[in-house]
Each structure stands twice: as structure tokens, then as C-alpha cells.
Amino acid sequence: MSESILYYGVIPAIKAVVIVLVMATAAGVLTLFERRLLALLQVRKGPNRVGWEGSLQWVADTFKLLFKEDIVPAKADKVVHYLAPLFIIIPAMTVFAVLPWGPEVSFFGIKTPLYAMDVNIGLLFVLAVTTIGIYGVILAGWSSNSKYSLIGGLRSAAQLISYEVPMGFAVAAIIVMGQTLSLVEIIEAQKRMGLWFIFPGLVAFFLYFVSGVAETNRTPFDLPEAESELVAGFHTEYSGFKWSMFFLSEYANMVTVSAIATTLFFGGWLRPFPNVAFLSFLDFIPPIIWFLLKVSFFMFVYIWFRGTFPRYRFDQLMALGWKFLIPLSLGNIVLVAIAALWGKTGLTVLGTILTIAFAAGIFLAFRVPPKRLTVIEKSRPTEVPA
Amino acid sequence: MDPSVFFFWVFAAITVVGALGVITMRQPLHSALFLLLTFLAVAGLFILQHAEFLAAVQVLVYAGGIMVLFLFTIMLVNVRRQAKEPFVNRRAGIAVLAGFFLFLLVGGVLTGPALVKKGPPADPAALKTTVIENSTARVVVPGNSEAVAWGLYRDYLLPFEVASVFLLVAMIGAVVLGKRSLEKFD
């Protein structure tokens, strides 16, 4: 009996606490990472005063946020205004329960895997829980009694629903390849085949990451909080601790998207080319470090995007989602399903073809001189229905 | 008490309270939030029945898709105006009657003889199995998603396809109706 309490009570509880603490701290450190990196991309200095090279800036920011006055607008719906940050932070933290950080390790003689649980509906669990986060954005926009917030909330409702569809289809392609919903077993399948799913899943990865950026409201899809149009969008009327909940969950969601992308497409905790024997000297790096390295790379890409791309206009956003990503994702499922009929061979062939096509595309893109962009003018809406 | 029984009563209570909230709140958005609570509690009940796939789809489709569209519409059409209408409308009697018939129908299906002949059981070898190990016993549970897939795409393929055609018809109807009301404005 005491053993089952240890394995079903104490260890999951410890993991839950560790995950929440690590994530709350990581979000703080990531803000510093983001600000310094953006500064580097924009040729300026960024925060460099608090601590060595600004390394304690995030601690100062945290204390500032915690002690700020909490202002609730007049005529706001107080209960919903209070609930909205909870709606966004609880799902963001819950997803971390299923992220596979590393394989089984042993601490002080107790063997335990480096994830809180491996549920058999893994991927569906991730998708289902993250959809609840939409409510935080919508309710924050509605309850604040402010038109900027309301427009931000409306935009995000339309955006998040639209981009959930290609994201779901992209993930479905991976389910076809791995023949399982469990995140741990997807990693195991990549190990068995000796093939990261990025190769046959090149299109799926593109779809997943673009939708993921849209789902986390990051540039170039940050319309719900477009600061040049809507002040700060859905969280305009939030301050202090409640505002920091929105902030924290944005970073938590970015980590989630990066971690899922790593797990589905880049072999999770596996080293590169897991079945090639002469690369086995790479095994001196523990699996969790591989995982964190890959996740950090995607976090870097997020910030890189923010330093590079301008924001989409709303009708462009909808056109991209519905007219390009969704048809592409449907075609991709058919393609992957046909390849998966031949098992590992089929997926390898598909991966080779896609990789060659991708390399050729990059090569041609650099050879052909860029034309003047006229597409944007054409897509402007001609008439607005009354 | 067995923990699963305890959680059943917790989720059942939340479901009923949420459903009552939907019909008693004056503000449409509050009703929508109570409906969300009900959906989540029903997902909890599904998990207690080891129907994890149904639970995830319940949250994904109802809470994540349909309810968000409800909220979208509520936010567009009514900007925080309290309804002045009476609490119970004129059709209350009909609603009670319809509810009573639904109750009889559900009760009859649950207690009476099975009306639908069950299809052949899914091939157990084809189902992926999960092994739950604890200190006392080893329980083998068939994978829930696979079981649902066998049911939907083999045993009940025709009803499934008919239902999807119905949905398509309904969607085309909605598009036609929506277009007609737009043309009136021109």
C-alpha cells in the first residue's frame, strides 16, 4: 500500500510542484532572453543595468508586478474579470503534465520517468486543454468594459478557432506516422524507425509551427494585442498580478508549442540520427539536455520571428488560415497516409522527396530575383457587407 | 467510499449545478459560462468511465469549438445589456412537456430491452492494449481510441456516414439562409 501511495501520490505531487515552479521561473528568465535578443536583432542594448548585464532584470520586474495596485475598471463584470486570468493560466500549466521531458531516470533508488504522466490520449489531451485557454482571452476582452479589449477578444476568438483546424490536421498526420496518440510512444516510434518525423512531416511541421505561432498570439499573428491599434488588446484593462498571469501564460504556451514541436517532429529527447552507430559518442549528453536544446531553439525562432516579421492584417490572417493552410493540411494527410501504408520504407521515401524539394525550393528562392509584391494590394477587401 | 464513486458524485453535482445556472442566469454570457462548466464536468464523467477519447473530444469540440462560437455571437450582438424579459416565457408549459417526454425516452432506453442489436465485438488482437500495473494487480485495458475507431468506421459505418451527410445538408442550408438575409440589405 505504501508503495502505491509513493508512486501514485507523492511522486506525481512532487513533479507537479517542480513543473509549476520551474515554469514560473523560466517565464521570467525568458522575458530577459527575449528582450536582450530583440535588442540584438534591432541593434540596441536592451536591459543591462540590474545585476550583471541585466541578468536580474526579471526579478525586479516580478517584484514590481506583484506589488502593483490591482485596478478593476468601473462597470466591469467583476467576477468574469477575476476569472479570465485563471482561465488562461490553469490550462497553460496543466499541459505541462504530459510533456515528455526525458526517459526514465533514477533518483535515490526510485526509478521514475521525467514526465508527470503518459496518458493514452496524449496529443488529444494537449489539444483539448489548450483550447480552454481561448476563454481567458475572450472573457478578458468582454469583461473589461472597454472597446479596445472587446475588439481584441473578438479578434482572438476568430483567430484561435481558425488556426486550431490546421493545427489539428497537422498533428493528425503525425498520429498516422506514429500510429499512437501517446507523446512518449511517438518518441519511441521515431527511435524504432531511426527517423525523425520532420522528414516525412516537413509540411506538417510547417503547418504546426505557423498555427502554433498564431495560437500563442505571437508576431506576426499578434492581432489580439496589436499595440499600435488596440493599446494592448484583450489585456488593456489588467494590471499587477492579474496582468502577470496573462504574461506568464503567453510564455508557458510558447514553451508548450515548442516542446510539442520537438516531440512530434524532432525526436523529443533522442539524439540526432538515433540509429546511426558512429554518432553514439553524442550519448554523453543526457536526453533531457537534448530536449531542452531543441525547445530553446524553437523559443529562439519565436523571438526571431518577432524581430523580423510585420503584423498580418486581419483579412490576410483569415485568408491564410482558411484558403491556404487548411487545404494544404488536408492534402498533407492524404499524402502521409499513402506513404504510411508502406510503413518505414514509405515514410523514408516521402521524407527524401520532401527534403530534396525543400532544398531545391530554397536554392531557387535565392537564384530568382525578388519581384515587386503585388499580392497584398489585390487581397484588400473591395466591399464590406452592411 | 471508493474514490471513483466519490468523483462521480462530485462531477454529477457540478453538471447539474451548471445546467441550472444556464437557465437561471440573466446575462447570456454567464449562461454560456455555466454551459462550459457542464461540458467540462461531463468530460470528467467520461473519464471515470474510461472513455478518455470521448472526454478529450467533448472538451475539444464542445468547449473549444462550439462554445467559443456561442461567445463570439453573444459578444457581437449584445453588448452587456441586461434582458428585461420575464423570467419564464409563454411556452414554459410546452417545454416542461417536452422535457418530460425526453425523460421518459431516456429512462425507457436505459431500463428497457436493448433496441439496437449490437454489432460483432471488435477484434481484441487489433486493439492496442494498455497495461495498468499497481502493487496488487495487473489490469489490461483495451485502448479507448482504437475501440471508438472500430465502432465508428467498421461496425457502424453506414449510420456514421448518414449522420455526416445530414450535417453537410444542415451546413449548406445555413449558408443558403445566411446568403439570402445578406442579399436583402443590398
Side-chain angles (χ1 to χ4, degrees):
Chain A
M1 191 60 203
S2 70
E3 206 173 66
S4 79
I5 288 179
L6 179 69
Y7 280 100
Y8 291 99
V10 179
I11 290 178
I14 293 174
K15 282 176 180 171
V17 172
V18 167
I19 286 171
V20 171
L21 286 182
V22 166
M23 276 323 301
T25 320
V29 178
L30 281 171
T31 58
L32 181 73
F33 180 60
E34 166 153 31
R35 291 177 68 186
R36 286 305 298 249
L37 197 60
L38 265 184
L40 196 71
L41 290 168
Q42 296 166 348
V43 201
R44 53 189 175 86
K45 283 203 159 58
N48 62 354
R49 292 299 155 123
V50 189
W52 179 77
E53 284 291 309
S55 56
L56 291 177
Q57 181 69 45
W58 66 275
V59 182
D61 284 344
T62 310
F63 276 104
K64 182 194 77 174
L65 281 174
L66 292 187
F67 291 117
K68 257 186 160 177
E69 186 187 354
D70 177 37
I71 299 165
V72 180
K75 287 192 185 166
D77 189 322
K78 292 213 169 48
V79 178
V80 181
H81 192 264
Y82 185 86
L83 279 178
L86 296 179
F87 262 110
I88 203 163
I89 191 80
I90 292 175
M93 288 291 167
T94 310
V95 189
F96 285 110
V98 295
L99 296 186
W101 300 97
E104 202 167 59
V105 291
S106 100
F107 285 113
F108 310 113
I110 299 170
K111 285 182 87 122
T112 183
L114 279 176
Y115 42 82
M117 54 182 179
D118 172 28
V119 288
N120 60 1
I121 49 161
L123 265 173
L124 275 178
F125 180 88
V126 172
L127 290 178
V129 170
T130 45
T131 58
I132 300 296
I134 299 181
Y135 286 95
V137 179
I138 298 177
L139 294 179
W142 180 82
S143 66
S144 299
N145 190 29
S146 147
K147 50 180 172 290
Y148 295 120
S149 303
L150 186 69
I151 295 173
L154 278 175
R155 279 183 177 186
S156 85
Q159 172 178 337
L160 297 182
I161 283 199
S162 308
Y163 279 79
E164 231 163 54
V165 181
M167 183 182 248
F169 283 140
V171 165
I174 297 302
I175 297 171
V176 171
M177 291 181 210
Q179 307 203 337
T180 173
L181 286 167
S182 151
L183 291 167
V184 176
E185 280 176 35
I186 284 177
I187 296 180
E188 294 296 329
Q190 297 182 55
K191 189 175 188 178
R192 231 178 13 251
M193 293 191 193
L195 176 78
W196 283 4
F197 284 162
I198 176 68
F199 298 110
L202 198 63
V203 184
F205 171 68
F206 168 77
L207 291 163
Y208 179 82
F209 202 65
V210 171
S211 316
V213 173
E215 290 280 307
T216 44
N217 295 330
R218 294 282 302 187
T219 325
F221 304 108
D222 58 342
L223 288 105
E225 43 185 313
E227 67 269 20
S228 48
E229 305 156 27
L230 296 178
V231 191
F234 62 91
H235 58 56
T236 306
E237 304 292 346
Y238 279 87
S239 57
F241 192 75
K242 286 186 201 159
W243 182 82
S244 66
M245 290 291 108
F246 287 112
F247 201 63
L248 189 61
S249 54
E250 176 172 329
Y251 283 91
N253 285 333
M254 282 159 66
V255 173
T256 306
V257 169
S258 306
I260 297 290
T262 303
T263 308
L264 297 188
F265 300 99
F266 289 87
W269 63 65
L270 304 175
R271 68 178 163 82
F273 304 102
N275 280 9
V276 179
F278 73 85
L279 282 172
S280 63
F281 68 91
L282 287 171
D283 281 339
F284 77 93
I285 301 175
I288 186 165
I289 300 294
W290 279 119
F291 190 82
L292 290 179
L293 273 177
K294 294 171 191 172
V295 171
S296 312
F297 172 74
F298 286 115
M299 295 305 292
F300 169 75
V301 173
Y302 258 112
I303 297 162
W304 195 12
F305 275 12
R306 184 170 167 191
T308 310
F309 293 126
R311 186 180 304 128
Y312 270 90
R313 213 174 51 217
F314 195 73
D315 59 304
Q316 292 172 332
L317 176 91
M318 285 295 140
L320 177 73
W322 289 99
K323 294 183 189 163
F324 180 65
L325 292 184
I326 292 179
L328 184 66
S329 61
L330 286 171
N332 180 50
I333 288 188
V334 175
L335 196 67
V336 169
I338 291 172
L341 281 180
W342 282 279
K344 191 190 159 186
T345 332
L347 290 180
T348 316
V349 170
L350 178 66
T352 318
I353 294 172
L354 283 177
T355 312
I356 291 171
F358 180 68
I362 295 271
F363 179 72
L364 285 178
F366 280 105
R367 289 294 298 275
V368 179
K371 272 187 229 154
R372 200 179 154 273
L373 289 175
T374 49
V375 188
I376 294 168
E377 292 303 317
K378 274 182 197 161
S379 72
R380 190 174 290 278
T382 49
E383 55 183 302
V384 180
Chain B
M1 201 197 294
D2 188 25
S4 66
V5 175
F6 170 75
F7 280 112
F8 168 78
W9 286 111
V10 170
F11 283 128
I14 296 175
T15 311
V16 173
V17 168
L20 286 177
V22 176
I23 53 173
T24 50
M25 289 289 130
R26 314 274 350 216
Q27 178 69 256
L29 192 119
H30 293 165
S31 293
L33 283 182
F34 272 106
L35 192 54
L36 172 67
L37 186 68
T38 307
F39 284 153
L40 293 181
V42 170
L45 289 175
F46 280 146
I47 287 185
L48 287 182
Q49 298 293 320
H50 280 289
E52 296 92 355
F53 181 80
L54 268 185
V57 171
Q58 161 93 3
V59 174
L60 198 61
V61 174
Y62 284 94
I66 294 176
M67 278 306 299
V68 174
L69 284 180
F70 279 3
L71 284 188
F72 191 72
T73 322
I74 291 171
M75 282 163 75
L76 273 182
V77 293
N78 122 302
V79 184
R80 307 160 60 80
R81 191 171 42 84
Q82 293 280 343
K84 290 279 193 302
E85 285 140 27
F87 193 74
V88 178
N89 71 12
R90 282 176 300 151
R91 289 179 289 279
I94 304 171
V96 168
L97 211 63
F100 182 66
F101 272 115
L102 183 68
F103 177 75
L104 283 186
L105 209 65
V106 173
V109 169
L110 285 182
T111 55
L115 296 175
V116 185
K117 199 163 75 61
K118 278 199 172 171
D123 180 12
L127 299 180
K128 286 208 182 124
T129 51
T130 325
V131 181
I132 297 174
E133 269 183 279
N134 55 32
S135 52
T136 52
R138 239 176 102 94
V139 193
V140 178
V141 185
N144 178 246
S145 316
E146 288 83 0
V148 171
W150 279 105
L152 266 189
Y153 297 118
R154 196 192 63 178
D155 301 344
Y156 298 101
L157 181 64
L158 189 66
F160 176 74
E161 291 297 333
V162 170
S164 57
V165 170
F166 278 149
L167 283 176
L168 185 66
V169 169
M171 198 172 75
I172 293 172
V175 170
V176 170
L177 289 175
K179 272 194 85 99
R180 188 176 298 161
S181 66
L182 263 185
E183 277 160 9
K184 224 182 289 174
F185 284 106
D186 292 339

